[in-house]
Amino acid sequence: MAKLNFGGVEENVVTREEFPLSKAQEVLKNETVAVIGYGVQGPGQALNQRDNGIKVIVGQRKNSKTWDKAVADGFVPGETLFEIEEALQRGTIICYLLSDAAQIELWPTVQKHLTPGKALYFSHGFGITFNEQTGIVPPKDVDVFLVAPKGSGTSLRRMFLQGRGLNSSYAIFQDATGKAKERVVALGIAVGSGYLFETDFKKEVFSDLTGERGTLMGAIQGIFAAQYEVLRSKGHSPSEAFNETVEELTQSLMPLVAENGMDWMYANCSTTAQRGALDWWKKFKDATQPVFAELYDSVATGKESQRSIDSNSKADYRVKLEAELAELRDSEMWQAGKTVRSLRPENQKG
């Protein structure tokens, strides 16, 4: 365990240097990791573990699209791919990677197979933290922990194949065997984490729900839409409005921030851009901070979790979701973006 300084605060971090893949393989050599769910996080985590030499099986409903996807990814029915209940029975570590709503629905089945000494693994603190709403209360004789990659399963897999690693958080809710720490860290390395930082279930889900609704997805789309609409209302073309709102940010500036930080990105832009950014960022902070405070309160009081459970459990959820996504997809801004992306040199034929 390394102690690193994050802006003046020391935190515990696990790196690949101190916990190499060979150590993870040794810890997990007698384990069977059953990945339940093959939707968002399942494929990336299952494939990365398999490629890292961990014994992985997948549990999915037969004759489903995700079952077929697992087969296409090389999992073999009857050998490494099973119906959910058989996978639960075979697994010593249950990676519970279904959606939050699906986890609630399947929980009575999962609970039956959590025999003493097994481990229940999450990639999100939702089910445990909001257990009064979800009903997910594990037995006391199993380990319960999480590894939460800070990105989508697609990003986790893509970065793994590039020889890189996505940072992840880890947390232990229950250590029944005395081995929870080494089990969770080994799994964090095995799924392809670049490094692991310590948290707890409540902090993970509070920060995660805030981030998703905030700068990662909700707030960024709102800011994009606001600036785009102002530019269009002032007579700028769709291509110009999109390029100045989205394309330059995602293709040019954010990669610079990722490399060396915001100050370095500022220093590598024009002096006019620097001056404007330095003058205006605090105004945007002051304008949005009350919204973020309201958002965090909504997460912490359980309003957001209840909203998710109520909405995502309905039979017509997928239909309504598609309608909401279509509103984004069919908007002028993102239709303009589709054309802009097609013009990138790497997307040009020949």
Side-chain angles (χ1 to χ4, degrees):
M1 181 81 67
K3 276 194 177 293
L4 297 182
N5 189 304
F6 291 85
V9 178
E10 280 198 341
E11 296 185 36
N12 294 323
V13 174
V14 179
T15 68
R16 291 177 178 178
E17 286 187 11
E18 62 182 295
F19 207 107
L21 177 60
S22 58
K23 187 174 180 179
Q25 291 169 334
E26 177 64 23
V27 169
L28 299 173
K29 66 181 180 181
N30 296 321
E31 305 274 16
T32 297
V33 180
V35 174
I36 308 302
Y38 209 73
V40 178
Q41 279 289 338
Q45 293 201 32
L47 291 168
N48 289 358
Q49 287 185 80
R50 186 182 70 183
D51 290 354
N52 274 332
I54 309 303
K55 183 180 178 182
V56 180
I57 62 175
V58 172
Q60 254 310 328
R61 291 183 176 88
K62 208 167 186 177
N63 300 320
S64 65
K65 289 181 180 179
T66 43
W67 174 280
D68 294 341
K69 176 172 171 49
V71 171
D73 286 342
F75 290 98
V76 180
E79 295 181 16
T80 53
L81 176 61
F82 302 93
E83 292 268 18
I84 289 175
E85 194 147 5
E86 185 171 355
L88 287 168
Q89 186 176 359
R90 288 171 175 266
T92 60
I93 298 175
I94 308 302
C95 288
Y96 205 22
L97 300 181
L98 294 168
S99 69
D100 295 322
Q103 284 186 14
I104 297 170
E105 182 181 353
L106 191 66
W107 177 244
T109 302
V110 174
Q111 198 170 15
K112 286 191 304 182
H113 296 283
L114 289 175
T115 51
K118 285 193 175 187
L120 180 61
Y121 164 113
F122 294 88
S123 281
H124 194 19
F126 191 102
I128 294 291
T129 300
F130 300 112
N131 58 27
E132 290 185 2
Q133 297 169 339
T134 66
I136 296 177
V137 180
K140 296 294 185 183
D141 51 9
V142 299
D143 292 342
V144 182
F145 44 66
L146 68 77
V147 172
K150 298 297 107 179
S152 70
T154 300
S155 299
L156 182 72
R157 180 61 176 166
R158 186 177 292 163
M159 292 176 75
F160 177 85
L161 292 174
Q162 293 169 349
R164 301 162 64 200
L166 190 65
N167 63 301
S168 303
S169 61
Y170 78 94
I172 298 169
F173 178 74
Q174 194 166 278
D175 183 4
T177 66
K179 300 186 298 181
K181 179 70 174 291
E182 64 177 16
R183 277 171 132 181
V184 69
V185 172
L187 285 161
I189 297 300
V191 300
S193 303
Y195 68 90
L196 294 152
F197 62 91
E198 198 173 24
T199 188
D200 60 43
F201 271 63
K202 182 180 287 187
K203 287 177 181 174
E204 190 284 327
V205 73
F206 282 15
S207 61
D208 191 67
L209 292 184
T210 300
E212 290 167 347
R213 287 150 179 76
T215 59
L216 302 179
M217 295 172 68
I220 199 70
Q221 165 59 21
I223 291 170
F224 282 165
Q227 179 171 304
Y228 181 89
E229 289 173 16
V230 167
L231 290 174
R232 288 289 287 126
S233 72
K234 300 300 183 181
H236 297 270
S237 68
S239 62
E240 184 169 59
F242 186 86
N243 279 319
E244 292 296 339
T245 299
V246 179
E247 190 74 353
E248 187 173 352
L249 174 71
T250 58
Q251 298 302 297
S252 175
L253 301 183
M254 281 299 105
L256 297 182
V257 176
E259 285 177 30
N260 288 300
M262 187 69 79
D263 61 316
W264 189 85
M265 185 271 280
Y266 277 21
N268 284 272
C269 291
S270 72
T271 55
T272 301
Q274 291 170 13
R275 183 69 269 143
L278 290 168
D279 287 345
W280 278 88
W281 79 262
K282 291 180 182 178
K283 294 182 180 180
F284 281 105
K285 174 180 176 289
D286 291 343
T288 59
Q289 193 159 350
V291 180
F292 281 104
E294 179 186 352
L295 166 57
Y296 192 89
D297 183 65
S298 187
V299 170
T301 57
K303 291 179 183 176
E304 292 301 307
S305 55
Q306 193 61 56
R307 161 83 172 140
S308 294
I309 292 168
D310 292 344
S311 173
N312 300 353
S313 299
K314 291 180 179 176
D316 62 350
Y317 167 68
R318 291 288 173 188
V319 175
K320 289 183 176 178
L321 172 66
E322 177 54 31
E324 291 182 281
L325 293 177
E327 181 183 357
L328 289 179
R329 184 173 58 248
D330 297 338
S331 67
E332 182 189 271
M333 180 172 71
W334 290 112
Q335 286 299 305
K338 184 177 180 180
T339 303
V340 168
R341 288 192 297 275
S342 74
L343 295 171
R344 293 174 190 165
E346 65 268 25
N347 294 331
Q348 294 288 303
K349 291 181 180 178

